[in-house]
Amino acid sequence: MADMVSTLAWPRVTGIVSDLDGVVYRGKNAIEDAVEAFKAWQAERIPFCFVTNNSTHTAGDVVSKLRGFGLEAGEENVVTSAVTAAKLIRQTYPAGTRTYVIGAPSLKKAITDAELEITDRQPCVVVMGLDREITYEKLTIAVDAILKGAVLIGTNPDLLLPTPTGFEPGAGACLTAVSTAARVKPIIVGKPEVHMIEAALSRLGTDRASTLMIGDQIPTDIQAGKRAGLCSVLVTTGVPPFDDPSLLAPDFTVSSLKQILLKR
Ligand SMILES: [Mg+2]
């Protein structure tokens, strides 16, 4: 492991982009090594930004949780798929664009904060995140709107989410139902796409080649990091990894973030 640490120290790491669930915490519980590692990097003044596919929490919710674990962070340190989705829509569509939202209150807040109009009447855009109150009626409105020309945007493609007792369907599962019925390919905002990584890089202002992407999932975190040109580190504290030779491999694998010793 000594080798890995010295290798990770080169090239010089100037910034960190990191996943949250399975990396900094598992559900409600902190992963102590990760919290200590982030504090050590913070003491070295290495900037970091978290990127989360979860659209059901605002950046403010995430910051409260991190502070509860003793990690000092601000909303500028958190990029969510909900806010990134809203910004992506506004790159193409003007303020007031009719948007149908299937998702949590945090996604609806991101959409209205971006000055888009939430409506189920003749929407131009359908955006879908995780909605634990999803109904057949909501799916019908989405499919019908898309067949009439609306664009389909998904906050993230995650099919399964771990729960304390097993798994529940993720946002990607319902997104697949709608995209399959309407026979369209959705625009995906979250990892493995690079939109959130690019948003994080522009906040950090660091060079991508000297920025680490840390995550616990190869199909999302590591693919996004590699595609965006970051040095990508898999940490085995979250979802158990599985071998898929069609996916890009991480540059490094660690079992604890404390193995990543960084000096400014
Ligand atoms: Mg994760």
Side-chain angles (χ1 to χ4, degrees):
M1 214 43 84
D3 264 349
M4 187 178 293
V5 170
S6 59
T7 314
L8 274 173
W10 185 93
R12 196 165 68 92
V13 173
T14 57
I16 292 173
V17 179
S18 177
D19 179 42
L20 284 165
D21 212 345
V23 174
V24 182
Y25 46 73
R26 241 183 260 106
K28 288 186 165 60
N29 303 315
I31 296 173
E32 292 300 337
D33 275 15
V35 172
E36 283 181 40
F38 272 95
K39 283 182 180 172
W41 301 334
Q42 204 164 34
E44 292 291 332
R45 299 196 318 281
I46 295 168
F48 55 80
C49 187
F50 295 107
V51 288
T52 176
N53 271 6
N54 187 331
S55 69
T56 66
H57 300 299
T58 63
D61 297 334
V62 173
V63 165
S64 308
K65 188 167 180 174
L66 293 172
R67 287 183 176 166
F69 298 147
L71 182 60
E72 199 46 50
E75 292 192 20
E76 68 280 5
N77 299 113
V78 181
V79 171
T80 69
S81 64
V83 170
T84 310
K87 287 188 174 161
L88 199 66
I89 295 167
R90 282 304 312 279
Q91 282 175 14
T92 311
Y93 296 90
T97 295
R98 291 190 306 279
T99 306
Y100 183 59
V101 181
I102 296 179
S106 49
L107 178 58
K108 291 178 178 158
K109 182 182 185 304
I111 294 296
T112 49
D113 284 352
E115 299 179 312
L116 296 159
E117 183 195 339
I118 298 181
T119 178
D120 57 5
R121 292 177 52 217
Q122 300 178 311
C124 304
V125 177
V126 173
V127 57
M128 291 185 70
L130 182 64
D131 184 346
R132 291 193 173 89
E133 291 168 11
I134 197 156
T135 62
Y136 195 78
E137 187 190 2
K138 290 181 184 180
L139 296 172
T140 302
I141 293 168
V143 168
D144 189 54
I146 294 157
L147 290 173
K148 287 173 177 154
V151 169
L152 176 60
I153 295 174
T155 56
N156 62 295
D158 302 51
L159 296 174
L160 276 181
L161 303 175
T163 67
T165 53
F167 291 92
E168 63 175 345
C174 297
L175 181 66
T176 303
V178 169
S179 64
T180 304
R183 295 175 185 266
V184 294
K185 194 167 179 286
I187 295 164
I188 302 285
V189 175
K191 301 167 283 184
E193 301 303 326
V194 299
H195 304 291
M196 293 201 301
I197 313 297
E198 295 295 342
L201 280 173
S202 64
R203 288 198 196 179
L204 293 174
T206 54
D207 182 66
R208 63 189 68 231
S210 64
T211 303
L212 295 187
M213 171 68 209
I214 299 170
D216 68 313
Q217 294 204 53
I218 292 176
T220 50
D221 304 316
I222 301 303
Q223 300 314 290
K226 295 286 287 181
R227 287 176 184 175
L230 280 64
C231 178
S232 300
V233 183
L234 180 73
V235 60
T236 57
T237 48
V239 172
F242 61 94
D243 256 339
D244 183 340
S246 72
L247 296 176
L248 299 166
D251 296 298
F252 300 98
T253 300
V254 295
S255 57
S256 159
L257 293 193
K258 283 171 83 176
Q259 290 169 251
I260 307 175
L261 298 175
L262 302 177
K263 293 270 177 245
R264 181 103 183 160

